[in-house]
Coordinates of all heavy atoms in Angstrom, one line a residue:
I1 N 1.8 -4.5 -1.7 CA 1.4 -3.2 -1.9 C 2.3 -2.5 -2.9 O 1.9 -1.6 -3.7 CB 1.2 -2.4 -0.6 CG1 2.5 -2.3 0.2 CG2 0.1 -2.9 0.2 CD1 2.5 -1.4 1.4
D20 N 10.3 1.5 8.3 CA 10.7 2.0 9.6 C 10.2 1.1 10.7 O 9.3 0.4 10.5 CB 10.2 3.5 9.8 CG 11.0 4.2 10.8 OD1 12.1 3.8 11.3 OD2 10.5 5.3 11.2
S22 N 8.7 1.4 14.5 CA 8.1 2.3 15.5 C 7.7 1.4 16.6 O 6.7 0.6 16.5 CB 7.0 3.0 14.9 OG 6.3 3.8 15.8
S24 N 7.2 -1.6 18.6 CA 7.3 -3.0 18.3 C 6.7 -3.3 17.0 O 6.4 -4.5 16.7 CB 6.7 -3.8 19.4 OG 5.3 -3.5 19.5
D25 N 6.6 -2.3 16.1 CA 6.0 -2.5 14.8 C 6.9 -2.2 13.6 O 7.7 -1.2 13.7 CB 4.7 -1.6 14.6 CG 3.6 -2.1 15.5 OD1 3.6 -3.2 15.9 OD2 2.7 -1.2 15.7
L26 N 6.8 -2.9 12.6 CA 7.5 -2.6 11.3 C 6.4 -1.9 10.5 O 5.3 -2.3 10.3 CB 7.9 -3.9 10.6 CG 8.4 -3.7 9.1 CD1 9.7 -2.8 9.1 CD2 8.6 -5.0 8.5
I27 N 6.8 -0.7 10.0 CA 5.9 0.1 9.2 C 6.4 0.2 7.8 O 7.6 0.7 7.6 CB 5.6 1.5 9.8 CG1 5.0 1.3 11.2 CG2 4.7 2.3 8.9 CD1 4.9 2.6 12.0
I28 N 5.7 -0.2 6.8 CA 6.1 0.0 5.4 C 5.1 0.9 4.7 O 3.9 0.6 4.8 CB 6.1 -1.4 4.7 CG1 7.1 -2.3 5.4 CG2 6.5 -1.3 3.2 CD1 7.1 -3.8 4.9
R29 N 5.6 1.9 4.1 CA 4.7 2.9 3.5 C 5.1 3.1 2.0 O 6.3 3.2 1.7 CB 4.8 4.2 4.2 CG 3.8 5.3 3.8 CD 3.8 6.5 4.7 NE 3.1 6.1 6.0 CZ 3.6 6.2 7.2 NH1 4.8 6.7 7.4 NH2 2.9 5.9 8.2
V30 N 4.1 3.0 1.1 CA 4.3 3.2 -0.3 C 3.5 4.4 -0.7 O 2.3 4.5 -0.5 CB 3.9 2.0 -1.1 CG1 4.0 2.2 -2.6 CG2 4.7 0.8 -0.7
L48 N -5.6 -6.2 -3.0 CA -5.6 -5.4 -1.8 C -6.3 -6.1 -0.7 O -5.9 -6.1 0.5 CB -6.1 -4.0 -2.0 CG -5.2 -3.1 -2.8 CD1 -5.8 -1.8 -3.1 CD2 -3.8 -2.9 -2.1
A49 N -7.4 -6.7 -1.0 CA -8.2 -7.5 0.0 C -7.4 -8.7 0.5 O -7.3 -9.0 1.7 CB -9.5 -8.0 -0.5
R50 N -6.7 -9.4 -0.4 CA -5.9 -10.5 0.0 C -4.7 -10.0 0.8 O -4.4 -10.7 1.8 CB -5.4 -11.2 -1.3 CG -4.6 -12.4 -1.0 CD -4.1 -13.1 -2.3 NE -5.3 -13.5 -3.0 CZ -5.3 -13.5 -4.4 NH1 -4.3 -13.1 -5.1 NH2 -6.4 -14.0 -5.0
T51 N -4.1 -8.9 0.5 CA -3.0 -8.4 1.3 C -3.5 -8.0 2.7 O -2.8 -8.3 3.7 CB -2.4 -7.2 0.6 OG1 -1.9 -7.6 -0.7 CG2 -1.2 -6.6 1.4
R52 N -4.6 -7.3 2.7 CA -5.2 -6.9 4.0 C -5.4 -8.2 4.9 O -5.2 -8.2 6.1 CB -6.4 -6.1 3.8 CG -7.0 -5.6 5.1 CD -8.2 -4.7 4.9 NE -7.6 -3.3 4.7 CZ -8.0 -2.5 3.7 NH1 -8.9 -2.9 2.9 NH2 -7.4 -1.3 3.6
Y53 N -6.0 -9.2 4.3 CA -6.3 -10.5 5.0 C -5.0 -11.1 5.6 O -4.9 -11.5 6.7 CB -7.0 -11.4 4.1 CG -7.2 -12.8 4.7 CD1 -8.1 -13.0 5.7 CD2 -6.4 -13.9 4.3 CE1 -8.3 -14.3 6.3 CE2 -6.5 -15.1 4.9 CZ -7.5 -15.3 5.9 OH -7.6 -16.6 6.5
L54 N -4.0 -11.2 4.7 CA -2.7 -11.8 5.1 C -2.0 -11.0 6.2 O -1.5 -11.6 7.2 CB -1.8 -12.0 3.9 CG -2.2 -13.1 2.9 CD1 -1.3 -13.0 1.7 CD2 -2.2 -14.4 3.5
V55 N -2.0 -9.7 6.1 CA -1.4 -8.8 7.1 C -2.2 -9.0 8.4 O -1.5 -9.1 9.5 CB -1.4 -7.4 6.6 CG1 -1.0 -6.4 7.7 CG2 -0.4 -7.2 5.4
G56 N -3.5 -9.1 8.3 CA -4.3 -9.3 9.5 C -4.0 -10.6 10.2 O -4.1 -10.7 11.5
L57 N -3.6 -11.7 9.5 CA -3.3 -12.9 10.1 C -2.1 -12.8 11.0 O -1.9 -13.5 12.0 CB -3.0 -14.0 9.0 CG -4.1 -14.5 8.2 CD1 -3.6 -15.5 7.2 CD2 -5.1 -15.2 9.2
Y58 N -1.2 -11.8 10.7 CA 0.0 -11.6 11.6 C -0.3 -10.5 12.6 O 0.7 -10.0 13.2 CB 1.2 -11.3 10.7 CG 1.6 -12.5 9.9 CD1 1.2 -12.7 8.6 CD2 2.4 -13.4 10.4 CE1 1.6 -13.8 7.9 CE2 2.8 -14.6 9.7 CZ 2.4 -14.7 8.4 OH 2.8 -15.8 7.7
G59 N -1.5 -10.1 12.7 CA -1.8 -9.0 13.7 C -1.5 -7.6 13.2 O -1.4 -6.7 14.0
G60 N -1.4 -7.5 11.9 CA -1.1 -6.2 11.4 C -2.3 -5.5 10.8 O -3.4 -6.0 10.9
S61 N -2.0 -4.4 10.1 CA -3.1 -3.6 9.4 C -2.6 -3.0 8.1 O -1.4 -2.9 7.9 CB -3.6 -2.5 10.4 OG -2.5 -1.6 10.6
L62 N -3.5 -2.7 7.2 CA -3.2 -2.1 6.0 C -4.2 -0.9 5.8 O -5.4 -1.1 5.9 CB -3.4 -3.1 4.8 CG -3.2 -2.5 3.4 CD1 -1.7 -2.0 3.2 CD2 -3.5 -3.5 2.4
Q63 N -3.7 0.3 5.6 CA -4.5 1.4 5.4 C -4.2 2.0 4.0 O -3.0 2.1 3.6 CB -4.2 2.5 6.5 CG -4.6 2.1 7.9 CD -4.3 3.2 8.9 OE1 -3.3 3.8 8.8 NE2 -5.2 3.3 9.8
I64 N -5.2 2.5 3.4 CA -5.0 3.1 2.1 C -5.7 4.5 2.1 O -6.8 4.6 2.5 CB -5.6 2.3 0.9 CG1 -5.0 0.9 1.0 CG2 -5.5 3.0 -0.4 CD1 -5.6 -0.1 0.1
E65 N -4.9 5.5 1.8 CA -5.4 6.9 1.8 C -5.2 7.6 0.4 O -4.2 7.2 -0.3 CB -4.6 7.7 2.8 CG -4.6 7.2 4.2 CD -3.5 7.9 5.1 OE1 -3.5 9.1 5.1 OE2 -2.7 7.2 5.7
I73 N -1.4 6.6 -0.7 CA -0.5 6.3 0.3 C -1.0 5.0 1.0 O -2.1 5.0 1.5 CB -0.4 7.4 1.4 CG1 0.0 8.7 0.7 CG2 0.6 7.0 2.5 CD1 -0.2 9.9 1.6
M74 N -0.2 3.9 0.9 CA -0.6 2.6 1.4 C 0.4 2.4 2.6 O 1.6 2.4 2.4 CB -0.5 1.5 0.4 CG -1.5 1.7 -0.7 SD -1.3 0.5 -2.1 CE -0.1 1.4 -3.0
T75 N -0.2 2.1 3.8 CA 0.7 1.9 5.0 C 0.4 0.5 5.5 O -0.8 0.2 5.9 CB 0.4 3.0 6.0 OG1 0.6 4.3 5.5 CG2 1.3 2.8 7.2
M76 N 1.4 -0.3 5.6 CA 1.3 -1.6 6.2 C 2.0 -1.6 7.5 O 3.2 -1.2 7.6 CB 1.8 -2.7 5.3 CG 1.7 -4.1 5.8 SD 2.1 -5.4 4.6 CE 3.6 -4.8 3.8
R77 N 1.3 -2.1 8.6 CA 1.9 -2.1 9.9 C 1.9 -3.6 10.4 O 0.9 -4.2 10.4 CB 1.1 -1.3 10.9 CG 1.7 -1.2 12.3 CD 0.8 -0.3 13.1 NE 0.9 1.1 12.8 CZ 1.7 2.0 13.3 NH1 2.5 1.7 14.3 NH2 1.7 3.2 12.9
L78 N 3.1 -4.1 10.7 CA 3.2 -5.5 11.2 C 3.9 -5.5 12.5 O 5.0 -4.9 12.7 CB 4.0 -6.3 10.2 CG 3.4 -6.6 8.8 CD1 4.4 -7.1 7.8 CD2 2.3 -7.6 9.0
P79 N 3.4 -6.3 13.5 CA 4.1 -6.4 14.8 C 5.4 -7.2 14.6 O 5.4 -8.2 13.9 CB 3.1 -7.1 15.7 CG 2.1 -7.7 14.8 CD 2.1 -7.0 13.5
L80 N 6.4 -6.8 15.3 CA 7.7 -7.5 15.2 C 7.6 -8.6 16.4 O 7.1 -8.3 17.4 CB 8.9 -6.6 15.5 CG 9.1 -5.6 14.3 CD1 10.2 -4.6 14.8 CD2 9.5 -6.3 13.0

Side-chain angles (χ1 to χ4, degrees):
I1 61 176
D20 198 9
S22 176
S24 62
D25 291 340
L26 171 64
I27 301 171
I28 299 172
R29 187 169 286 127
V30 175
L48 290 173
R50 184 178 297 145
T51 300
R52 183 173 275 132
Y53 173 76
L54 291 172
V55 168
L57 287 177
Y58 290 96
S61 64
L62 176 64
Q63 296 178 321
I64 302 168
E65 307 167 47
I73 304 165
M74 294 173 275
T75 304
M76 182 170 44
R77 183 179 291 264
L78 291 167
L80 296 171

